[in-house]
Short mmCIF file of all heavy atoms in Angstrom, two decimals:
data_model
loop_
_atom_site.label_atom_id
_atom_site.label_comp_id
_atom_site.label_asym_id
_atom_site.label_seq_id
_atom_site.Cartn_x
_atom_site.Cartn_y
_atom_site.Cartn_z
N ASP A 1 16.32 3.35 -8.18
CA ASP A 1 16.56 4.48 -9.02
C ASP A 1 15.33 5.16 -9.52
O ASP A 1 15.41 6.16 -10.30
CB ASP A 1 17.35 3.98 -10.20
CG ASP A 1 18.77 3.45 -9.87
OD1 ASP A 1 19.24 3.93 -8.81
OD2 ASP A 1 19.25 2.62 -10.53
N GLU A 2 14.15 4.76 -9.08
CA GLU A 2 12.92 5.38 -9.53
C GLU A 2 12.81 6.85 -9.13
O GLU A 2 13.44 7.24 -8.09
CB GLU A 2 11.71 4.65 -8.94
CG GLU A 2 11.51 3.24 -9.49
CD GLU A 2 12.13 2.26 -8.50
OE1 GLU A 2 12.57 2.55 -7.40
OE2 GLU A 2 12.28 1.11 -8.95
N ALA A 3 12.07 7.59 -9.82
CA ALA A 3 11.81 8.97 -9.46
C ALA A 3 11.01 9.03 -8.16
O ALA A 3 10.30 8.13 -7.80
CB ALA A 3 11.05 9.66 -10.62
N ALA A 4 11.11 10.23 -7.53
CA ALA A 4 10.43 10.38 -6.22
C ALA A 4 8.93 10.15 -6.32
O ALA A 4 8.34 9.52 -5.45
CB ALA A 4 10.68 11.80 -5.72
N HIS A 5 8.30 10.63 -7.43
CA HIS A 5 6.86 10.41 -7.50
C HIS A 5 6.41 8.93 -7.66
O HIS A 5 5.44 8.44 -7.21
CB HIS A 5 6.20 11.23 -8.65
CG HIS A 5 6.53 10.77 -10.01
ND1 HIS A 5 7.78 10.97 -10.65
CD2 HIS A 5 5.81 10.03 -10.95
CE1 HIS A 5 7.76 10.47 -11.83
NE2 HIS A 5 6.58 9.89 -12.09
N VAL A 6 7.33 8.16 -8.39
CA VAL A 6 7.12 6.66 -8.52
C VAL A 6 7.21 5.96 -7.09
O VAL A 6 6.42 5.18 -6.77
CB VAL A 6 8.11 6.04 -9.49
CG1 VAL A 6 8.02 4.59 -9.56
CG2 VAL A 6 7.90 6.66 -10.93
N LYS A 7 8.22 6.42 -6.40
CA LYS A 7 8.40 5.90 -5.08
C LYS A 7 7.18 6.20 -4.13
O LYS A 7 6.73 5.33 -3.38
CB LYS A 7 9.66 6.44 -4.37
CG LYS A 7 10.98 5.84 -4.96
CD LYS A 7 12.16 6.46 -4.26
CE LYS A 7 13.48 5.86 -4.89
NZ LYS A 7 14.60 6.40 -4.23
N ALA A 8 6.69 7.41 -4.23
CA ALA A 8 5.43 7.82 -3.49
C ALA A 8 4.31 6.98 -3.84
O ALA A 8 3.57 6.57 -2.91
CB ALA A 8 5.29 9.28 -3.70
N TYR A 9 4.08 6.75 -5.11
CA TYR A 9 3.01 5.98 -5.58
C TYR A 9 3.15 4.50 -5.11
O TYR A 9 2.17 3.79 -4.66
CB TYR A 9 2.78 6.03 -7.08
CG TYR A 9 2.19 7.31 -7.59
CD1 TYR A 9 2.77 7.99 -8.58
CD2 TYR A 9 1.07 7.80 -7.03
CE1 TYR A 9 2.35 9.21 -9.02
CE2 TYR A 9 0.49 9.10 -7.42
CZ TYR A 9 1.17 9.72 -8.43
OH TYR A 9 0.66 10.88 -8.96
N THR A 10 4.33 3.95 -5.24
CA THR A 10 4.59 2.59 -4.75
C THR A 10 4.37 2.46 -3.32
O THR A 10 3.76 1.51 -2.80
CB THR A 10 6.10 2.28 -5.04
OG1 THR A 10 6.33 2.43 -6.51
CG2 THR A 10 6.37 0.82 -4.68
N LYS A 11 4.78 3.47 -2.48
CA LYS A 11 4.53 3.42 -1.05
C LYS A 11 3.01 3.37 -0.82
O LYS A 11 2.62 2.64 0.06
CB LYS A 11 5.21 4.60 -0.42
CG LYS A 11 5.20 4.56 1.08
CD LYS A 11 6.00 5.73 1.64
CE LYS A 11 6.03 5.68 3.15
NZ LYS A 11 6.82 6.81 3.71
N GLU A 12 2.23 4.18 -1.45
CA GLU A 12 0.83 4.30 -1.23
C GLU A 12 0.24 2.91 -1.62
O GLU A 12 -0.64 2.36 -0.91
CB GLU A 12 0.22 5.27 -2.11
CG GLU A 12 0.47 6.68 -1.64
CD GLU A 12 -0.33 7.01 -0.32
OE1 GLU A 12 -1.52 6.82 -0.26
OE2 GLU A 12 0.34 7.49 0.63
N PHE A 13 0.66 2.34 -2.68
CA PHE A 13 0.16 1.04 -3.14
C PHE A 13 0.39 -0.03 -2.09
O PHE A 13 -0.49 -0.80 -1.75
CB PHE A 13 0.84 0.66 -4.48
CG PHE A 13 0.44 -0.69 -5.02
CD1 PHE A 13 -0.82 -0.81 -5.71
CD2 PHE A 13 1.19 -1.78 -4.89
CE1 PHE A 13 -1.18 -2.03 -6.23
CE2 PHE A 13 0.73 -3.07 -5.40
CZ PHE A 13 -0.39 -3.13 -6.05
N ILE A 14 1.60 -0.09 -1.63
CA ILE A 14 2.03 -1.11 -0.65
C ILE A 14 1.19 -0.90 0.65
O ILE A 14 0.69 -1.82 1.26
CB ILE A 14 3.47 -1.09 -0.39
CG1 ILE A 14 4.22 -1.57 -1.65
CG2 ILE A 14 3.82 -1.97 0.86
CD1 ILE A 14 5.75 -1.41 -1.58
N ILE A 15 1.14 0.32 1.15
CA ILE A 15 0.41 0.67 2.43
C ILE A 15 -1.05 0.27 2.34
O ILE A 15 -1.58 -0.47 3.22
CB ILE A 15 0.63 2.21 2.81
CG1 ILE A 15 2.04 2.41 3.16
CG2 ILE A 15 -0.38 2.54 3.92
CD1 ILE A 15 2.34 3.92 3.35
N PHE A 16 -1.70 0.86 1.33
CA PHE A 16 -3.18 0.62 1.34
C PHE A 16 -3.57 -0.71 0.78
O PHE A 16 -4.64 -1.33 1.24
CB PHE A 16 -3.82 1.75 0.54
CG PHE A 16 -3.84 3.02 1.40
CD1 PHE A 16 -2.95 4.04 1.17
CD2 PHE A 16 -4.77 3.19 2.32
CE1 PHE A 16 -2.91 5.19 1.91
CE2 PHE A 16 -4.79 4.35 3.15
CZ PHE A 16 -3.87 5.32 2.94
N GLY A 17 -2.75 -1.34 -0.09
CA GLY A 17 -3.01 -2.74 -0.47
C GLY A 17 -2.80 -3.67 0.73
O GLY A 17 -3.68 -4.52 0.94
N SER A 18 -1.74 -3.45 1.46
CA SER A 18 -1.57 -4.28 2.67
C SER A 18 -2.61 -4.00 3.69
O SER A 18 -3.16 -4.97 4.29
CB SER A 18 -0.22 -4.02 3.31
OG SER A 18 0.82 -4.30 2.41
N TYR A 19 -3.05 -2.81 3.94
CA TYR A 19 -4.06 -2.47 4.82
C TYR A 19 -5.40 -3.24 4.44
O TYR A 19 -6.07 -3.78 5.28
CB TYR A 19 -4.35 -0.94 4.86
CG TYR A 19 -5.64 -0.58 5.47
CD1 TYR A 19 -5.80 -0.64 6.90
CD2 TYR A 19 -6.75 -0.31 4.74
CE1 TYR A 19 -6.99 -0.38 7.50
CE2 TYR A 19 -7.98 -0.08 5.36
CZ TYR A 19 -8.13 -0.13 6.73
OH TYR A 19 -9.29 0.20 7.29
N SER A 20 -5.69 -3.18 3.16
CA SER A 20 -6.93 -3.89 2.66
C SER A 20 -6.92 -5.33 2.96
O SER A 20 -7.96 -5.92 3.42
CB SER A 20 -7.09 -3.57 1.24
OG SER A 20 -8.30 -4.09 0.74
N ILE A 21 -5.80 -5.91 2.73
CA ILE A 21 -5.62 -7.39 3.00
C ILE A 21 -5.76 -7.68 4.47
O ILE A 21 -6.53 -8.57 4.91
CB ILE A 21 -4.31 -7.90 2.49
CG1 ILE A 21 -4.31 -7.89 0.88
CG2 ILE A 21 -4.09 -9.36 3.04
CD1 ILE A 21 -2.99 -8.19 0.28
N VAL A 22 -5.10 -6.88 5.32
CA VAL A 22 -5.12 -7.10 6.69
C VAL A 22 -6.48 -6.90 7.29
O VAL A 22 -7.07 -7.68 8.13
CB VAL A 22 -4.13 -6.17 7.47
CG1 VAL A 22 -4.36 -6.18 8.98
CG2 VAL A 22 -2.68 -6.56 7.13
N ARG A 23 -7.20 -5.85 6.79
CA ARG A 23 -8.59 -5.58 7.22
C ARG A 23 -9.53 -6.71 6.86
O ARG A 23 -10.27 -7.16 7.73
CB ARG A 23 -9.08 -4.27 6.61
CG ARG A 23 -10.38 -3.83 7.14
CD ARG A 23 -10.72 -2.46 6.61
NE ARG A 23 -11.87 -1.88 7.15
CZ ARG A 23 -13.15 -2.11 6.77
NH1 ARG A 23 -13.38 -2.83 5.65
NH2 ARG A 23 -14.11 -1.50 7.38
N LYS A 24 -9.43 -7.16 5.63
CA LYS A 24 -10.32 -8.27 5.26
C LYS A 24 -10.00 -9.50 6.04
O LYS A 24 -10.88 -10.23 6.44
CB LYS A 24 -10.08 -8.56 3.75
CG LYS A 24 -10.92 -9.68 3.13
CD LYS A 24 -10.74 -9.85 1.66
CE LYS A 24 -11.48 -10.94 1.07
NZ LYS A 24 -12.94 -10.57 0.92
N TRP A 25 -8.77 -9.82 6.30
CA TRP A 25 -8.31 -10.94 7.09
C TRP A 25 -8.79 -10.90 8.53
O TRP A 25 -9.40 -11.81 9.02
CB TRP A 25 -6.75 -11.06 7.05
CG TRP A 25 -6.17 -11.87 8.10
CD1 TRP A 25 -6.21 -13.27 8.26
CD2 TRP A 25 -5.31 -11.50 9.20
NE1 TRP A 25 -5.55 -13.69 9.28
CE2 TRP A 25 -4.97 -12.66 9.95
CE3 TRP A 25 -4.82 -10.24 9.58
CZ2 TRP A 25 -4.14 -12.61 11.01
CZ3 TRP A 25 -4.01 -10.18 10.72
CH2 TRP A 25 -3.66 -11.35 11.43
N LEU A 26 -8.63 -9.75 9.17
CA LEU A 26 -8.99 -9.62 10.55
C LEU A 26 -10.50 -9.63 10.77
O LEU A 26 -10.99 -10.07 11.73
CB LEU A 26 -8.43 -8.30 11.02
CG LEU A 26 -8.33 -8.18 12.61
CD1 LEU A 26 -7.49 -9.26 13.20
CD2 LEU A 26 -7.73 -6.79 13.07
N LEU A 27 -11.29 -9.14 9.76
CA LEU A 27 -12.68 -9.08 9.86
C LEU A 27 -13.41 -10.42 9.45
O LEU A 27 -14.58 -10.57 9.53
CB LEU A 27 -13.27 -7.91 9.05
CG LEU A 27 -12.87 -6.59 9.60
CD1 LEU A 27 -13.38 -5.43 8.71
CD2 LEU A 27 -13.25 -6.27 11.08
#
């Protein structure tokens, strides 16, 4: 039920947080 902008921020957080973890792991 979150507002569209909250969903957009959540998506960014998940994408770039996960990317950062995967990058650190892989390197």
Side-chain angles (χ1 to χ4, degrees):
D1 297 331
E2 293 93 9
H5 73 282
V6 173
K7 288 181 183 182
Y9 287 129
T10 302
K11 187 175 182 178
E12 286 291 306
F13 178 81
I14 292 170
I15 290 170
F16 286 98
S18 298
Y19 164 78
S20 182
I21 291 170
V22 169
R23 186 175 189 271
K24 182 177 179 76
W25 163 66
L26 198 59
L27 297 176

